[in-house]
Amino acid sequence: MVGHNESSGKKSSEATNDVPTLNAESLQSNMKIIYYSRTFMSIIGGVIAGILGFTGLSGFVLYFLIMAVTSVGLIAKAGFQVHSYFDSWNQIILDGVLGGLLSFVLFWTFAYDIVHIF
Amino acid sequence: MGFSLGFLVGILGVLILFHAAYSTVQYRGLLKIMEEEFSGPPITVVAELLLGLVLSLWAGLTVPGTFLSIHPHSEENRIVALPANLDFMIFNHRGKVFPVEMDLKLKH
């Protein structure tokens, strides 16, 4: 499937020489959707980690668990046909994972302070 | 976008999370009275958190919009790709001699 897509894309780009092999605007819109989902889920994960009273490493483990679940959800949203919506698997699995970490820590400490300290 | 179903589900999930936080605060107050140590939230709070997580996940996946196909030859990209071949459209042909029925399209 993957090899077939790549070979056909190459062939068409050689033949027409100028027409792009993928729609850049759609790809950009898809990436924006992924960033929205990841940011929202990192905030929710931070609130959950704070309410559960996690401290230290376990909170980060929870964060990466939630990001993995979000990745699976995004792949399911794409109908398990990642290559018709994205260039590579990295874009749907890895992009934005570290970017949400800061908002996760912010809401983690925020919820922890409200629930457990005050 | 308006208040779509996913948006309402997300609000419900966040409200459930707030309720779980409130329950934990009350539980900690109870522990303070009973002079016990906090070892973990009660099972009802954990269940609430799981429910809130699932609802928020669903909202977070549906609200931002649907994925668009990046293949230029796919069905849904036919109209998007139309301006790419404007150079090949010719209107100076014999068809322009005949009168165009403009109202025909408006009636549809």
Side-chain angles (χ1 to χ4, degrees), chain A residues 109-118, chain B residues 24-26 28-29 32:
Chain A
T109 50
F110 180 65
Y112 188 88
D113 284 358
I114 285 183
V115 172
H116 293 278
I117 293 181
F118 294 130
Chain B
T24 315
V25 171
Q26 281 194 324
R28 280 199 75 106
K32 203 176 277 177

Side-chain angles (χ1 to χ4, degrees), chain A residues 20-23 26-27 29-30 33 36-37 40-41 44 48 51-52 69 73-74 77-78 83-87 115-116, chain B residues 14 17 20-21 24-25 28 38 41 45-46 49 53 56-57 60-62 64-72 77 80:
Chain A
T21 52
L22 55 87
N23 196 335
S26 298
L27 184 62
S29 147
N30 293 348
I33 289 172
Y36 276 137
S37 293
F40 182 66
M41 283 318 290
I44 293 295
I48 286 175
I51 293 172
L52 284 175
V69 170
L74 286 170
K77 181 181 175 178
H83 280 284
S84 61
Y85 299 105
F86 296 96
D87 244 357
V115 172
H116 293 278
Chain B
V14 171
L17 288 185
T24 315
V25 171
R28 280 199 75 106
F38 180 82
V45 168
V46 175
L49 287 178
L53 175 66
S56 318
L57 179 68
L61 289 179
T62 52
T66 52
F67 289 145
L68 304 171
S69 179
I70 60 168
H71 288 157
N77 273 339
V80 179

Side-chain angles (χ1 to χ4, degrees), chain B:
Chain B
M1 198 177 289
F3 287 113
S4 60
L5 179 66
F7 195 79
L8 292 177
V9 168
I11 288 179
L12 183 66
V14 171
L15 282 180
I16 286 175
L17 288 185
F18 273 119
H19 183 259
Y22 184 68
S23 306
T24 315
V25 171
Q26 281 194 324
Y27 178 67
R28 280 199 75 106
L30 192 69
L31 286 185
K32 203 176 277 177
I33 294 171
M34 292 165 65
E35 293 179 346
E36 285 178 23
E37 280 294 309
F38 180 82
S39 59
I43 189 72
T44 54
V45 168
V46 175
E48 262 182 306
L49 287 178
L50 272 178
L51 184 64
L53 175 66
V54 169
L55 292 181
S56 318
L57 179 68
W58 198 70
L61 289 179
T62 52
V63 168
T66 52
F67 289 145
L68 304 171
S69 179
I70 60 168
H71 288 157
H73 302 296
S74 68
E75 266 310 302
E76 53 188 297
N77 273 339
R78 285 171 67 97
I79 296 185
V80 179
L82 199 59
N85 14 336
L86 271 182
D87 287 349
F88 297 101
M89 291 184 182
I90 299 167
F91 301 102
N92 192 15
H93 51 79
R94 60 185 176 176
K96 74 176 180 181
V97 173
F98 298 107
V100 184
E101 294 183 41
M102 296 295 285
D103 296 336
L104 204 65
K105 281 192 177 166
L106 292 176
K107 275 175 190 167
H108 275 291

Side-chain angles (χ1 to χ4, degrees), chain A:
Chain A
M1 182 69 194
V2 178
H4 172 74
N5 274 350
E6 278 175 3
S7 68
S8 70
K10 238 178 232 169
K11 217 178 277 174
S12 70
S13 75
E14 275 172 15
T16 55
N17 206 14
D18 213 13
V19 176
T21 52
L22 55 87
N23 196 335
E25 283 175 31
S26 298
L27 184 62
Q28 212 168 7
S29 147
N30 293 348
M31 295 308 293
K32 212 161 83 181
I33 289 172
I34 282 204
Y35 280 121
Y36 276 137
S37 293
R38 286 211 186 277
T39 309
F40 182 66
M41 283 318 290
S42 55
I43 288 172
I44 293 295
V47 171
I48 286 175
I51 293 172
L52 284 175
F54 283 172
T55 52
L57 196 64
S58 53
F60 291 102
V61 171
L62 181 82
Y63 174 71
F64 285 108
L65 266 179
I66 285 182
M67 279 299 112
V69 170
T70 311
S71 295
V72 173
L74 286 170
I75 292 172
K77 181 181 175 178
F80 298 100
Q81 292 171 330
V82 174
H83 280 284
S84 61
Y85 299 105
F86 296 96
D87 244 357
S88 66
W89 282 92
N90 285 349
Q91 284 177 327
I92 200 165
I93 294 177
L94 293 179
D95 262 25
V97 169
L98 290 179
L101 195 57
L102 288 177
S103 38
F104 174 80
V105 171
L106 177 71
F107 278 86
W108 178 17
T109 50
F110 180 65
Y112 188 88
D113 284 358
I114 285 183
V115 172
H116 293 278
I117 293 181
F118 294 130

